[in-house]
Amino acid sequence: MNLSNNKILITGGASGIGLGLTQRFIEENNTVIICGRRESVLNDVKAQFPSVITKICDLTVEAERIALYEWVKENHSDLNVLINNAGIQKWVSVSDAGFYESMKSEINTNIEAPLHLTSLFIELKSLTTVMNVTSGLAFSPFAKIPVYSATKAFFRSFTLSLRHLLKEKNIEVIEIIPPALNTDLGGVGLHDAHPSVADFIVAIFEQLKEGRNELTFGTSETRLNASVPELKAHFEALHSN
Ligand SMILES: NC(=O)c1ccc[n+]([C@@H]2O[C@H](COP(=O)([O-])OP(=O)(O)OC[C@H]3O[C@@H](n4cnc5c(N)ncnc54)[C@H](OP(=O)(O)O)[C@@H]3O)[C@@H](O)[C@H]2O)c1
């Protein structure tokens, strides 16, 4: 994709990885629209980057996904990039009391919402690019976040098919595959030990410039290229105590 002069919707673009993408795409001379549930967080980003366009939206609500699409179609019909970044992560065991409810919200946010948004936004004549944020856990799960890991494996699988399916519409599909990074995902402090979003953004923009369609960093590059025995060994090592 061209890195400049796009109009881009970034779901969850007000924090963490989404905010890193927002900042960099603004610096690269793009128009950026961000959405999320928390108005105050959206307003903070607007104060920092006045050109950003914000929209409050709960993507777990089907009607709000449709309303977001209708609003974009009405007001930003030249939108050409959709970035499915919003996601949640629950540290939960299958035997926990709240497992079923927690599982439903994770599947809704991490799978239903981006798939539904994709099906809506590819109707925009201007759309040229879909970017999906998956995870290094798509290749080998972490059992403390079992549903989250599985949603990312699902989303990667769907992304591979989507790339094939959208060729006929001339829509490029790019997968962003972060490793664990220092954001508030799953709860404040849980990811403090991991690399910064800033370093990750620098690395993936280099790969975008090279024309890659699977963007990785550190351990997610290793996972992407690992053999099945290597992935099994990684899983065993991660769960050895
Ligand atoms: N950080 C990591 O280690 C890591 C690793 C691999 C992949 N990822 C993926 O990267 C993406 C971004 O995560 P992050 O690490 O940047 O965490 P984050 O800071 O918690 O960002 C998640 C964003 O998603 C938005 N969001 C969540 N539920 C939403 C909903 N129902 N409707 C609208 N927006 C919603 C949040 O905004 P509101 O709360 O305001 O709605 C927030 O801005 C996720 O897909 C995550 O799975 C992260």
Side-chain angles (χ1 to χ4, degrees):
M1 71 180 278
N2 290 330
L3 292 188
S4 302
N5 301 316
N6 302 289
K7 189 175 273 190
I8 306 172
L9 171 62
I10 307 176
T11 67
S15 68
I17 294 170
L19 178 57
L21 292 168
T22 297
Q23 175 167 3
R24 181 63 186 260
F25 274 120
I26 288 172
E27 285 165 8
E28 298 279 353
N29 197 28
N30 296 279
T31 303
V32 177
I33 304 170
I34 60 175
C35 69
R37 293 165 299 181
R38 292 168 297 167
E39 186 173 14
S40 63
V41 179
L42 291 167
N43 287 343
D44 288 348
V45 178
K46 178 86 184 158
Q48 203 183 344
F49 306 106
S51 72
V52 85
I53 298 161
T54 62
K55 186 77 180 158
I56 302 168
C57 179
D58 182 347
L59 294 172
T60 60
V61 181
E62 183 184 324
E64 294 202 24
R65 301 194 289 255
I66 295 169
L68 175 66
Y69 170 66
E70 294 295 337
W71 173 79
V72 168
K73 197 168 73 166
E74 184 70 26
N75 299 287
H76 303 283
S77 61
D78 54 340
L79 188 105
N80 70 311
V81 181
L82 167 67
I83 305 185
N84 286 308
N85 165 73
I88 57 169
Q89 181 183 81
K90 306 273 188 177
W91 290 61
V92 65
S93 173
V94 67
S95 50
D96 289 350
F99 177 77
Y100 182 57
E101 286 308 315
S102 148
M103 175 207 86
K104 283 197 291 188
S105 68
E106 260 183 308
I107 291 175
N108 193 348
T109 311
N110 296 0
I111 297 177
E112 272 186 52
L115 268 58
H116 187 198
L117 286 183
T118 301
S119 72
L120 293 168
F121 278 82
I122 58 172
E123 294 303 318
L124 283 180
K125 299 247 177 307
S126 50
L127 204 81
T128 60
T129 308
V130 176
M131 299 176 83
N132 288 340
V133 179
T134 64
S135 168
L137 294 173
F139 304 95
S140 174
F142 183 34
K144 288 190 172 169
I145 40 176
V147 178
Y148 175 83
S149 301
T151 64
K152 293 300 178 178
F154 180 117
F155 200 29
R156 169 166 167 77
S157 169
F158 178 78
T159 300
L160 292 171
S161 297
L162 188 69
R163 182 172 299 127
H164 178 73
L165 293 169
L166 294 186
K167 263 186 202 154
E168 63 179 23
K169 280 182 173 281
N170 231 358
I171 296 174
E172 182 183 19
V173 175
I174 296 171
E175 184 181 359
I176 302 178
I177 313 173
L181 296 174
N182 185 1
T183 71
D184 289 344
L185 186 71
V188 178
L190 284 173
H191 284 82
D192 279 1
H194 296 294
S196 73
V197 169
D199 290 346
F200 169 73
I201 295 292
V202 169
I204 65 165
F205 270 76
E206 283 305 313
Q207 295 164 41
L208 266 181
K209 280 183 198 158
E210 292 163 9
R212 274 182 62 166
N213 60 16
E214 293 180 318
L215 314 180
T216 57
F217 179 63
T219 57
S220 73
E221 174 74 13
T222 314
R223 292 295 104 71
L224 173 68
N225 296 309
S227 64
V228 172
E230 284 168 339
L231 290 174
K232 280 187 181 166
H234 171 72
F235 182 86
E236 294 306 327
L238 195 60
H239 299 94
S240 60
N241 51 29

